[in-house]
Amino acid sequence: DSGVTQTPKHLITATGQRVTLRCSPRSGDLSVYWYQQSLDQGLQFLIQYYNGEERAKGNILERFSAQQFPDLHSELNLSSLELGDSALYFCASSVAGLPETQYFGPGTRLLVL
Amino acid sequence: GQSLEQPSEVTAVEGAIVQINCTYQTSGFYGLSWYQQHDGGAPTFLSYNALDGLEETGRFSSFLSRSDSYGYLLLQELQMKDSASYFCAVRGGGGNKLTFGTGTQLKVEL
């Protein structure tokens, strides 16, 4: 158990819908990262937040957005969902100044039908 | 940008030693990390090398050569439970973003 929690574990929805994925980092970690992992792809970095502020952005689609709240939990919002958005979405957290050492949550498996 | 290259698949027998190589291209290199991911599971941090040389953690060791932009993960006394995907990752380009390689699937056979 990494100490990072993610909900829900599984999500099935239809094209065009909007979903929200939730992540709580390890106690004391200020940084939260979001990744997408498709079947035939590696881990694609989406976005990072540090203590409530956006710090780094990857190839995140405009239909996707995220935020980190004062209690440090983070939400990833995916809208106008397409079939190709079906993937595993991971959240990770790290200690300040050590982004190389990330602790991953169990992931949310999203299936868009 | 950053790019990493690692073999897609490696097969070895239980009890053997296996080396998974990773070459990288990045600007503003900080260090090389390794992660393990079992099928359907979350990536788990294994090791991080910021300086040249070998770091040992139990059966796993990781090596870095900054001048060659190259590193490897060495797994000794292989066990069936080591069957997993292994990813190298770098932070570069002046930010906190980690770029992961495409992963090496290790199959350990009897």
Side-chain angles (χ1 to χ4, degrees):
Chain A
D1 184 358
S2 67
V4 178
T5 60
Q6 286 186 250
T7 56
K9 204 166 183 177
H10 301 276
L11 202 46
I12 302 175
T13 188
T15 53
Q17 294 298 304
R18 172 190 167 95
V19 297
T20 298
L21 313 185
R22 195 179 193 279
C23 166
S24 291
R26 289 188 324 157
S27 176
D29 286 356
L30 300 180
S31 283
V32 168
Y33 310 80
W34 285 98
Y35 293 89
Q36 180 192 57
Q37 187 175 39
S38 304
L39 261 176
D40 56 351
Q41 292 200 7
L43 285 155
Q44 303 294 318
F45 170 74
L46 295 177
I47 198 163
Q48 180 214 354
Y49 279 83
Y50 176 80
N51 203 20
E53 292 190 8
E54 182 185 302
R55 273 296 175 93
K57 219 166 181 174
N59 294 328
I60 186 168
L61 298 171
E62 281 191 20
R63 301 183 285 109
F64 296 2
S65 64
Q67 53 184 324
Q68 186 179 28
F69 295 86
D71 67 352
L72 300 178
H73 92 271
S74 178
E75 292 181 357
L76 179 67
N77 299 296
L78 315 176
S79 61
S80 303
L81 284 167
E82 301 175 359
L83 296 178
D85 297 328
S86 295
L88 257 175
Y89 290 85
F90 288 106
C91 161
S93 72
S94 73
V95 174
L98 283 174
E100 293 85 357
T101 308
Q102 296 185 14
Y103 296 88
F104 283 75
T108 294
R109 188 174 294 276
L110 173 67
L111 181 60
V112 182
L113 299 174
Chain B
Q2 293 82 45
S3 70
L4 301 100
E5 205 166 303
Q6 48 181 133
S8 59
E9 203 173 289
V10 171
T11 303
V13 296
E14 199 175 28
I17 299 173
V18 74
Q19 179 174 310
I20 299 173
N21 299 321
C22 174
T23 56
Y24 59 86
Q25 283 187 323
T26 182
S27 55
F29 178 75
Y30 291 86
L32 187 68
S33 302
W34 289 93
Y35 287 78
Q36 177 193 60
Q37 185 180 26
H38 286 99
D39 269 351
T44 304
F45 171 77
L46 290 177
S47 68
Y48 172 60
N49 295 65
L51 303 174
D52 285 357
L54 193 69
E55 296 271 347
E56 296 181 55
T57 311
R59 295 187 297 113
F60 293 5
S61 303
S62 56
F63 172 83
L64 176 65
S65 168
R66 294 172 72 111
S67 59
D68 295 323
S69 297
Y70 162 76
Y72 65 72
L73 181 69
L74 191 74
L75 297 87
Q76 302 182 74
E77 299 171 27
L78 280 174
Q79 301 175 10
M80 297 298 290
K81 68 178 182 180
D82 297 329
S83 293
S85 290
Y86 293 84
F87 295 88
C88 55
V90 294
R91 172 166 73 120
N96 291 324
K97 166 188 156 181
L98 263 194
T99 299
F100 285 79
T102 50
T104 298
Q105 187 168 17
L106 171 65
K107 294 180 186 175
V108 180
E109 299 175 335
L110 290 170

